[in-house]
């Protein structure tokens, strides 16, 4: 568990990244950190990309149905319009943002803000996803959270896709993806052309 150290005492801003596979609890962890900032009477704001319309337009909702109000934006640069007077900035589903996001986060951190970014570190083929790799390199604090592989019980770091689609972005929940460990992910992808469709 990530515990903030000297959250109110540090003079400069910084970047935190919470990443992992689907169903690993990234959004829950992001919301937990923002709630703690709220308890500390800090001004926070939460953003998500316009592409993520799964649950609600103006809320971030985690798989355990925690919800928090947010602002939906299409371009990373739009963040800058909303952050005056804000101390803590949360960004969910950051993998869907454009490649300008790391520079925007850097600008915010230099301006003294705490930036908490959550997102998928890998896509459904196990490839580094969008701006997340750059953010991992630039962040002061990185937390990888894990789901549990339903096939073997090991920690799951990959997002296995059942659906027959080569699109990198295919939004969905339980029916389209499952978390898998590296071994079961790799095995599943090898068998894919021969497997039967999931009922
Ligand atoms: Zn496994």
């Amino acid at each position: 568990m990530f515990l903030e150290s000297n959250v109110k005492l540090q003079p400069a801003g910084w970047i935190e990244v919470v990443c992992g596979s689907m169903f690993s609890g990234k959004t829950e962890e992001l919301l937990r950190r923002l709630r703690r900032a709220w308890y500390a009477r800090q001004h926070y704001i939460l953003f998500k990309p316009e592409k993520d319309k799964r649950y609600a337009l103006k809320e971030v909702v985690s798989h355990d149905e925690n919800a928090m109000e947010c602002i939906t934006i299409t371009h990373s640069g739009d963040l800058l319009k909303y952050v005056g007077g804000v101390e803590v900035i949360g960004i969910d589903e950051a993998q869907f943002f454009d490649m300008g996001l790391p520079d925007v986060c850097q600008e915010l951190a230099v301006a003294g803000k705490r930036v908490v970014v959550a997102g998928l570190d890998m896509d459904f083929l196990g490839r580094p996803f969008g701006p997340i790799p750059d953010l991992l390199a630039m962040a002061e604090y990185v937390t990888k959270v894990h789901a549990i592989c339903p096939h073997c019980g090991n920690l799951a770091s990959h997002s296995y896709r059942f659906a027959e689609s080569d699109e990198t972005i295919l939004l969905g929940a339980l029916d389209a993806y499952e978390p898998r460990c590296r071994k079961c992910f790799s095995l599943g992808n090898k068998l894919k052309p021969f497997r039967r469709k999931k009922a």
Side-chain angles (χ1 to χ4, degrees):
M1 180 180 287
F2 173 86
L3 296 172
E4 304 89 336
S5 58
N6 298 326
V7 164
K8 293 200 85 167
L9 300 178
Q10 293 198 16
W14 67 92
I15 301 172
E16 298 162 29
V17 176
V18 181
C19 65
S21 68
M22 295 191 69
F23 311 106
S24 62
K26 301 178 299 296
T27 298
E28 287 93 326
E29 176 60 15
L30 169 66
L31 299 186
R32 188 184 75 87
R33 293 185 191 186
L34 293 183
R35 270 196 306 274
R36 287 166 64 83
W38 182 75
Y39 292 139
R41 300 179 186 210
Q42 295 177 319
H43 291 111
Y44 74 88
I45 192 167
L46 175 57
F47 296 99
K48 71 175 182 180
E50 218 250 322
K51 281 171 191 159
D52 181 19
K53 290 180 181 166
R54 274 180 300 180
Y55 301 98
L57 266 182
K58 294 198 172 159
E59 283 184 328
V60 164
V61 184
S62 62
H63 287 296
D64 68 0
E65 298 189 343
N66 266 318
M68 200 175 259
E69 277 188 21
C70 74
I71 294 175
T72 303
I73 53 173
T74 47
H75 190 271
S76 62
D78 297 342
L79 256 82
L80 299 168
K81 294 180 203 160
Y82 298 94
V83 294
V86 172
E87 296 156 282
V88 183
I89 293 148
I91 303 169
D92 196 28
E93 300 290 355
Q95 75 279 355
F96 294 139
F97 275 107
D98 54 274
M99 294 305 281
L101 185 65
D103 283 345
V104 170
C105 292
Q106 164 83 351
E107 189 177 331
L108 294 169
V110 168
K113 298 180 191 299
R114 174 187 175 196
V115 185
V116 189
V117 182
L120 288 168
D121 46 6
M122 290 183 278
D123 69 10
F124 75 106
L125 291 174
R127 300 173 300 195
F129 206 154
I132 299 291
D134 288 8
L135 283 160
L136 287 171
M138 292 160 73
E140 277 87 347
Y141 305 103
V142 170
T143 307
K144 272 214 181 198
V145 286
H146 298 95
I148 298 295
C149 176
H151 298 276
C152 68
N154 282 322
L155 290 180
S157 51
H158 290 68
S159 305
Y160 180 79
R161 182 191 282 179
F162 293 110
E164 300 282 358
S165 167
D166 293 329
E167 295 292 315
T168 302
I169 297 174
L170 179 71
L171 293 174
L174 285 163
D175 55 341
Y177 295 94
E178 79 178 5
R180 287 195 179 190
C181 70
R182 186 186 298 275
K183 195 174 169 188
C184 296
F185 175 80
S186 166
L187 202 63
N189 281 338
K190 272 185 200 152
L191 295 172
K192 234 171 186 177
F194 309 105
R195 68 172 169 71
R196 290 167 62 192
K197 263 194 170 172
K198 202 189 176 209

